[in-house]
Every structure is written in C-alpha cells, then in structure tokens.
C-alpha cells in the first residue's frame, strides 16, 4: 500500500486537570485579590508589582528567616453570647507589607457582609464582625482570611449563641408516696439551649374543692432529675407538680403538669420499717469466720461474686471477692466499700459487711 492510500495522520492528545480546592470559595479569594490590587493602585503603586500568592495556610503566623510575613496577634478562639445579645468577633494582625486585605467566611461557605444586624470593619491592622440581636442561626465558625502581597493566612473563631433550655421532656412522676413525703422523677429537656443544664426548679400547687392555690417553689437547687419532697406536704392533701430546667442563660418554661396526687399513709409504715446496717470494715477476721461460701454467682473485671450464708442466722447474701493484687487496685476496692456502706435507699443494694485483710478484700451485700 502506498503512502497516498493511507490517508491523513491522526494524533490523539490526552489531557487531565488538577484542581486545588482552597479553604474558602474561589470568588472570595478573587475578591480579596482584586481589593488588594485596587488598594495598592490607590496608594500610588502598581497592581502588577510582583506576584500575589494564592497559597493558604491555617497557621496564625507565616514566617521566613527574616521575620514574620503575616501573623495574628492573640486572636479569639471562642465567643459565647446569649440570644438577643451583641457578638463582636475581632482579630488583630501584623503584616510585613501594606496594603492588607481581609474578609470573614461563615461556616467556610458564605462571605460575611454588612447587613441590618451585621457590621464588618477592616483595616491594615485588624478586622471585626459585630452582630446585634444574636440568634441561634448566627452560631457557627467564622474564618478570617488575611492577605498581603506575599501570602494569605487564616484563623477561625467559634461563636456559640446560648438560650434558655427547653422544658423538661416529661411531666413529673410520683413514687414512694407516704403521708408527708414523696419522690418526683422526670426527664431532662430535649434541647439544653447550647449550654449545659445546671439545675431544676420544682414547683407545687395544692388542689382543693375551690380554686386551686398558686404555684410555689419547693426548691431551686435540684441538680438531678429526681427530688424527694417532705417539707410542704400535708396528710390527705392533694397536689400537682411541675419542673423547670435552667442553664447559664436562664430558666425554661415549665414542664407538663403531673397528675393529681393525694397523700396517704399506705407507704409510711413500710418506710418506717426499713432498717439499715451500720457497717464497719473488719480487718481482723476472714469472711469464712462468719459466712459459709457456696457456688459462684458471677465473674467481672474486678472480681468474683459467690453466694454466702451466715453461720449463725442463716441469712443468704452475696459476697464480692475483689481481684486486688496491686496497691492501686486495693485502694480502689476500699473506696468502693467506703462508698457502699454509706448508701442507704430502699431501691439500692445494701452493704451488710466488709472484710479487709492481708490476703483478701470482700464486700458482703444483699
């Protein structure tokens, strides 16, 4: 076949493209670059003098052997404000050259610009964002990008906008009812307002054949989701309860109201008959001096549990044999025994005895 019959030669070219995705939208970087060039021209220089770097660093300070090119001066890390308050995010910086351009990015996606509630002010030495009437939508990260002729650096400040917590998620439930006392239990709020719940306010209202009384506070310093009431209740009285949660921002709205509770005496006799053992840790006897040890009931990380029976009374109980070989393990076992012998509650397993000798550490429980 001659050359003429082969037809024109075909050349295949394969290309690919690599993109670097910066920490801010490209239109923001372009805007900073244009602003920097405009300011350089306005100051009598040429916007084409040298090249303006597009490299971004997350460090607070960009340095060379001759000194810092750009550094942030004691920048904020976090800021917490209450709903409706004013938030001011501020960063001061030092640059080796001027002019300097800067901007703020919200949640690394949206440029922060001046709006009715937002004011942005920038200079060659600092930049700030002021937000009035802060709301939960303003919470998030605010990243400042600062750029001079030679580099670009960034720093992020986290803004938390806290509010009062939501009300407790359930109405109070009543247990351990007697003639003059009861225990209330409830669930915590579904949202803490952005700040940890630090306590609860328990309120009571007495019901009657006529108009119910006003709500009154039983306690304002409850730290748990249960509370025993015994000071404001009268025999055969009828009451309703509700609870409020609070954090550093304020007190929530009240929970749903409990069912009407009538005080009676059915639980009082049972409560009075409850007795507890005062335990002293025995350091002279072994557990087998007082108890018969029977089959193993369970095994855990810190020891084994055996069924015990008292040699004189025949009382059946459980014995926890600690696996305590080192000084730290023995100290932890002793702390647990000291704690258990102080806990007295009808719904908690009670400590009946404790043995601490050179060869064994054992706690006897119900």
């Amino acid at each position: 076949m001659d050359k003429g019959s082969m037809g024109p030669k075909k050349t295949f070219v394969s290309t690919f493209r690599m993109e670097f995705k910066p920490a801010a939208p490209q239109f923001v970087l372009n805007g900073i670059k244009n602003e920097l060039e405009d300011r350089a021209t306005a100051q009598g220089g040429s916007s084409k003098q040298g090249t303006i770097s597009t490299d971004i660093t997350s460090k607070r300070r960009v340095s060379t052997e001759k000194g810092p090119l750009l550094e942030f001066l004691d920048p904020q890390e976090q800021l917490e404000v209450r709903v409706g308050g004013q938030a001011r995010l501020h960063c001061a910086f030092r640059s080796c050259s001027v002019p300097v351009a800067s901007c703020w990015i919200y949640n690394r996606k949206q440029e922060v610009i001046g709006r009715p509630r937002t004011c942005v002010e920038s200079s060659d030495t600092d930049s700030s964002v002021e937000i009035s009437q802060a709301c939960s939508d303003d919470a998030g990260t605010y990243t400042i990008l600062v750029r001079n002729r030679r580099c670009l650096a960034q720093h992020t400040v986290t803004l938390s906008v806290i509010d009062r917590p939501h009300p407790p998620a359930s109405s109070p439930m009543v247990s351990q009812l007697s003639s003059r006392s009861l225990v209330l239990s409830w669930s915590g709020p579904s949202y803490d307002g952005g700040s940890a719940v630090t306590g609860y306010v328990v309120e009571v209202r007495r019901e009657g054949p006529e108009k119910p009384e006003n709500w009154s506070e039983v306690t304002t310093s409850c730290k748990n989701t249960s509370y025993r009431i015994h000071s404001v209740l009268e025999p055969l009285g009828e009451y309703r309860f509700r609870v409020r949660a609070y954090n550093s921002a304020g007190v929530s709205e009240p929970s749903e109201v409990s069912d009407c509770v009538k005080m009676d005496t059915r639980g009082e006799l049972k409560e009075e008959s409850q007795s507890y053992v005062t335990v002293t840790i025995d350091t002279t006897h072994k557990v087998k001096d007082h108890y018969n040890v029977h089959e193993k009931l369970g095994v855990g990380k810190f020891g084994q549990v055996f069924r015990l029976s008292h040699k004189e009374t025949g009382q059946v109980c459980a014995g926890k044999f600690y696996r305590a070989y080192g000084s730290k393990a023995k100290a932890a076992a002793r702390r647990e025994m000291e704690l258990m012998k102080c806990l007295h509650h009808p719904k908690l397993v009670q400590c009946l005895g404790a043995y601490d000798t050179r060869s064994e550490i054992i706690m006897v429980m119900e």
Side-chain angles (χ1 to χ4, degrees):
M1 182 179 296
D2 57 13
K3 293 183 179 181
S5 62
M6 294 179 63
K9 293 183 178 180
K10 295 183 179 180
T11 303
F12 295 90
V13 180
S14 176
T15 63
F16 66 93
R17 182 180 180 183
M18 296 181 63
E19 294 184 353
F20 168 69
K21 190 172 183 179
Q26 187 61 44
F27 74 88
V28 174
L29 299 180
N30 293 338
I32 297 178
K33 181 178 179 180
N34 294 336
E35 178 185 350
L36 193 60
E37 292 174 346
D38 292 343
R39 293 178 64 180
T41 303
Q43 293 181 12
S46 171
S47 63
K48 297 183 179 180
Q49 293 178 354
T51 59
I52 299 176
S53 171
T54 59
D55 293 335
I56 298 178
T57 176
S58 60
K59 297 180 179 179
R60 297 181 185 175
R61 176 171 175 165
V62 183
S63 305
T64 64
E65 295 180 356
K66 297 181 180 180
L69 297 176
L70 184 61
E71 65 176 327
F72 292 101
L73 306 177
D74 193 22
Q76 292 174 303
E77 298 288 347
Q78 294 183 337
L79 178 64
E80 183 178 278
V81 297
R82 295 187 180 184
V83 168
Q86 182 173 352
R88 185 173 187 269
L89 308 172
H90 177 261
C91 270
F93 41 82
R94 182 187 296 125
S95 172
C96 66
S97 63
V98 292
V100 177
S102 61
C103 76
W104 292 82
I105 308 298
Y106 174 64
N107 284 343
R108 295 186 177 270
K109 294 180 180 180
Q110 179 181 356
E111 182 180 4
V112 181
I113 59 177
R115 292 181 177 177
R117 293 192 304 109
T118 306
C119 177
V120 182
E121 295 182 350
S122 299
S123 68
D124 287 337
T125 58
D126 67 345
S127 182
S128 64
V129 175
E130 291 190 4
I131 303 172
S132 60
Q133 297 295 315
C135 63
S136 58
D137 291 339
D138 298 320
T141 60
Y142 289 78
T143 302
I144 180 173
L145 303 178
V146 182
R147 183 175 191 171
N148 60 18
R149 290 180 176 277
R150 302 183 62 181
C151 63
L152 186 151
Q154 66 179 6
H155 175 71
T156 299
V157 183
T158 301
L159 174 62
S160 300
V161 181
I162 62 173
D163 195 1
R164 299 184 304 163
H166 287 182
S170 66
S171 60
M173 303 294 293
V174 175
S175 63
Q176 299 182 40
L177 181 65
S178 70
S179 63
R180 292 182 178 272
S181 68
L182 54 80
V183 173
L184 283 182
S185 302
W186 59 90
S187 299
S190 58
Y191 175 59
D192 62 6
S195 179
V197 173
T198 54
Y200 296 91
V201 178
V202 180
E203 299 177 339
V204 62
R205 183 182 70 189
R206 181 161 186 172
E207 303 292 310
E210 300 179 357
K211 184 179 179 180
E213 297 179 0
N214 295 327
W215 289 99
S216 61
E217 294 180 349
V218 178
T219 180
T220 60
S221 58
C222 178
K223 303 301 181 183
N224 302 304
T225 54
S226 65
Y227 186 76
R228 186 178 187 86
I229 302 176
H230 52 76
S231 59
V232 298
L233 306 178
E234 297 180 2
L236 302 180
E238 296 183 2
Y239 300 92
R240 293 183 186 272
F241 303 91
R242 67 184 188 184
V243 182
R244 301 173 185 262
Y246 60 84
N247 60 9
S248 58
V251 184
S252 74
E253 294 297 319
S255 68
E256 295 182 4
V257 179
S258 71
D259 295 333
C260 184
V261 179
K262 183 176 181 179
M263 309 303 294
D264 60 24
T265 59
R266 287 177 295 176
E268 191 171 24
L269 295 177
K270 182 178 180 180
E271 184 177 353
E272 291 177 351
S273 64
Q274 182 74 40
S275 61
Y276 301 103
V277 178
T278 301
V279 176
T280 301
I281 298 178
D282 193 335
T283 59
T284 58
H285 297 88
K286 294 185 177 181
V287 68
K288 290 185 178 180
D289 294 338
H290 301 143
Y291 291 89
N292 296 314
V293 180
H294 302 285
E295 73 276 9
K296 184 188 299 184
L297 300 178
V299 179
K301 180 179 179 181
F302 300 104
Q304 304 178 82
V305 178
F306 289 84
R307 184 172 69 88
L308 306 179
S309 60
H310 198 276
K311 291 184 176 181
E312 294 183 1
T313 65
Q315 181 184 13
V316 178
C317 47
K320 181 176 181 179
F321 289 67
Y322 288 92
R323 188 181 291 111
Y325 302 119
S327 58
K328 290 185 178 180
K330 290 182 178 179
R334 291 174 182 133
R335 284 197 300 269
E336 182 178 358
M337 290 194 300
E338 290 289 344
L339 176 63
M340 286 295 296
K341 74 177 188 177
C342 298
L343 296 179
H344 300 305
H345 192 278
K347 293 189 177 182
L348 292 179
V349 173
Q350 297 299 297
C351 177
L352 303 178
Y355 297 83
D356 185 358
T357 64
R358 184 176 181 181
S359 59
E360 61 185 16
I361 299 179
I362 301 170
M363 179 167 58
V364 181
M365 300 174 291
E366 290 180 321

